[in-house]
Amino acid sequence: MVDCSKKRQLQKSKYLTTLLLFVAGGLLYVSSVFEWPCLRAVSEAALVGGIADWFAVVALFRHPLGLPIPHTAIIPKSKDQIARNLGIFIKSEFFCKENLWKSTFLQKFSLKKIIEIFIEGKSTSFSLDVFSRSIESKIPNLYEIVDREKEGAKLFERIDFSSILSGTLSFVRRSDRYDKIVDGFIDDIQEGLITPYIEGKIENSFLNKPMKFFGFDKSLSRWGSEKILEDYKKINSPKREELSRKIDELIVSLSSQPEIKERVNSKIREVLTSKTGSEILMSVLEHIQRHKIISTTIADVAKKALIGFISDTKKLAATERWLKNRIVNIIGDYSDEIANFIENTIKSWDAQEISQKLELEVGKDLQFIRINGMVVGGIIGGVIYGIERLFVL
């Protein structure tokens, strides 16, 4: 579509310039018929200037009138030389280290601004939110994979559950979403495991009958399960603090005590190979993926780390200097390869095709050279005629 538009504009410019050339020829004819020497001198010089510049413009791209005149069709004939010279020019003027350091790109380069844009999501394609969604999309359907391979004992033998558990707990513990994650698991445990168990055991017991008799809305089993977890839901409660302390101790034990690591790995493998264990694992993995715990936790940790990084001005400045040095050194060291790539790419183009493309890009401006040639030729013709008349008189 763009090429078609440029072709139309180029054709219009050619038609206009050619029309002016015919106008100059027509004025030359009129001046000859009516014997107007001044008009003849101007139109004749304009016609000569227009034809000469037409020849010069056409000679850049092809043979004028198809005639193999020497030093015409310059671009198609000199394609390889142009490619070589262009590669050398770009290497020396754009990719030398001295010029790279002076470039506007490096002067305006701001690592802090890039990180802020990434965190705040000002770019639709480069943001922490896009990054976290990308992570989520790359996470396979874990529970389906485990369900498909759970019968193979080798799947669990290859996994160091202790390290995974230690790393995951540490990750969650440092996350800003720690309390929300704990609340979510407590709710799921209450609704999915403890409540059904207690209700199943107590529903028909003698303790529950007085509750029903007196018309309480909640059964004793429901009341009992909520009472058990009530303290754990309060963030600043002793139970909640004790839970956090136990998690911290577990993280240390899982990562530093070999006997505990082996015992945990053996126990988890034993549980997972059982039917009940597989069902529990499926529920946990499904919960993790349904609530996007992995990606949101990674995003929270990444955001916290990046904010801390850009707040440290010394570390930020040192990293920015290192990045700029790496950019300059990499581009400078590979300048020969870049120049060769440009040269070989241009050499691989068809001579006629590159000629047509260049004419399409600059041809419209070159038509003004033809117009200027006619105008300047006409002015010079008039000046020469005036000087001639002045000396004759």
Side-chain angles (χ1 to χ4, degrees):
M1 189 66 181
V2 175
D3 284 351
C4 291
S5 176
K6 289 181 179 179
K7 284 180 181 179
R8 287 195 297 270
Q9 292 176 4
L10 179 59
Q11 288 299 326
K12 287 180 180 179
S13 299
K14 285 183 176 181
Y15 290 148
L16 174 62
T17 309
T18 304
L19 177 62
L20 293 175
L21 197 63
F22 276 104
V23 169
L27 291 175
L28 178 62
Y29 174 76
V30 170
S31 65
S32 298
V33 171
F34 292 98
E35 296 183 353
W36 292 339
C38 181
L39 180 61
R40 179 185 176 87
V42 172
S43 58
E44 189 174 51
L47 187 61
V48 171
I51 293 174
D53 283 339
W54 165 82
F55 181 91
V57 169
V58 173
L60 287 171
F61 306 104
R62 64 186 70 85
H63 296 298
L65 302 176
L67 301 175
I69 303 171
H71 304 294
T72 59
I74 295 171
I75 291 176
K77 286 181 178 179
S78 307
K79 176 174 69 74
D80 291 349
Q81 183 63 37
I82 292 172
R84 186 159 45 253
N85 292 338
L86 183 60
I88 294 171
F89 172 76
I90 290 177
K91 173 191 171 183
S92 60
E93 296 299 325
F94 292 92
F95 295 137
C96 72
K97 294 183 180 181
E98 183 180 348
N99 288 340
L100 285 170
W101 277 114
K102 297 177 182 177
S103 66
T104 305
F105 166 74
L106 278 187
Q107 291 174 2
K108 292 184 177 181
F109 180 83
S110 172
L111 182 58
K112 182 179 181 180
K113 186 175 181 181
I114 293 172
I115 293 175
E116 287 175 344
I117 290 173
F118 179 72
I119 293 173
E120 295 169 8
K122 292 181 180 178
S123 171
T124 56
S125 59
F126 179 71
S127 67
L128 190 59
D129 183 54
V130 173
F131 171 71
S132 62
R133 288 202 304 268
S134 175
I135 291 175
E136 194 66 41
S137 67
K138 297 296 186 296
I139 297 174
N141 207 333
L142 296 174
Y143 59 90
E144 287 186 3
I145 291 176
V146 174
D147 188 49
R148 186 171 61 248
E149 301 185 15
K150 64 185 177 183
E151 296 179 359
K154 291 183 179 180
L155 172 66
F156 299 116
E157 290 177 0
R158 295 194 301 266
I159 301 174
D160 184 358
F161 292 103
S162 179
S163 297
I164 294 174
L165 182 58
S166 174
T168 303
L169 290 174
S170 179
F171 210 53
V172 172
R173 192 72 179 88
R174 294 195 306 267
S175 172
D176 293 336
R177 294 175 56 85
Y178 167 72
D179 289 318
K180 291 183 180 179
I181 292 171
V182 172
D183 289 340
F185 270 112
I186 290 174
D187 289 339
D188 283 352
I189 289 171
Q190 182 180 11
E191 295 299 325
L193 296 175
I194 292 181
T195 298
Y197 176 79
I198 294 177
E199 286 182 355
K201 295 292 183 181
I202 305 180
E203 184 69 27
N204 297 317
S205 70
F206 73 94
L207 294 174
N208 201 38
K209 292 179 181 179
M211 303 290 289
K212 291 182 177 179
F213 179 79
F214 288 107
F216 281 90
D217 290 336
K218 294 183 180 179
S219 68
L220 179 62
S221 57
R222 170 70 67 176
W223 176 83
S225 64
E226 291 185 353
K227 188 65 178 175
I228 291 172
L229 296 174
E230 187 179 64
D231 287 340
Y232 285 100
K233 288 185 176 181
K234 297 176 182 178
I235 294 178
N236 296 321
S237 68
K239 288 287 186 183
R240 186 62 164 259
E241 292 177 358
E242 182 183 2
L243 175 64
S244 299
R245 183 175 54 80
K246 291 288 186 183
I247 291 174
D248 292 336
E249 291 176 356
L250 180 61
I251 292 171
V252 175
S253 300
L254 290 172
S255 59
S256 62
Q257 300 185 25
E259 64 279 3
I260 293 181
K261 291 180 66 173
E262 182 58 35
R263 190 161 63 248
V264 168
N265 282 333
S266 299
K267 192 64 179 178
I268 291 177
R269 290 179 186 129
E270 180 184 340
V271 171
L272 291 178
T273 52
S274 67
K275 183 178 179 181
T276 303
S278 297
E279 291 175 354
I280 293 173
L281 177 62
M282 297 302 112
S283 299
V284 172
L285 293 177
E286 188 175 1
H287 171 85
I288 289 173
Q289 290 199 310
R290 185 173 65 250
H291 295 281
K292 298 180 172 28
I293 290 174
I294 295 176
S295 60
T296 52
T297 303
I298 291 175
D300 287 340
V301 172
K303 181 178 181 180
K304 188 175 181 179
L306 289 172
I307 291 174
F309 173 72
I310 61 177
S311 300
D312 189 336
T313 54
K314 290 184 178 180
K315 187 181 293 185
L316 180 66
T319 305
E320 192 170 288
R321 284 196 302 271
W322 180 85
L323 280 174
K324 289 182 178 180
N325 272 311
R326 293 302 300 163
I327 291 171
V328 170
N329 289 333
I330 289 172
I331 296 176
D333 292 343
Y334 285 90
S335 59
D336 287 334
E337 284 75 7
I338 295 172
N340 290 334
F341 171 74
I342 294 171
E343 178 182 342
N344 293 331
T345 300
I346 296 176
K347 283 182 177 179
S348 68
W349 293 345
D350 178 74
Q352 295 302 321
E353 183 181 354
I354 188 175
S355 179
Q356 291 171 1
K357 286 182 178 296
L358 287 173
E359 185 178 13
L360 202 60
E361 294 297 328
V362 300
K364 182 180 177 181
D365 293 325
L366 292 177
Q367 300 310 307
F368 286 101
I369 294 178
R370 295 174 57 189
I371 295 173
N372 292 337
M374 285 185 280
V375 173
V376 173
I379 293 172
I380 293 175
V383 171
I384 292 174
Y385 175 78
I387 293 173
E388 182 184 35
R389 294 299 298 169
L390 180 63
F391 280 102
V392 168
L393 294 175

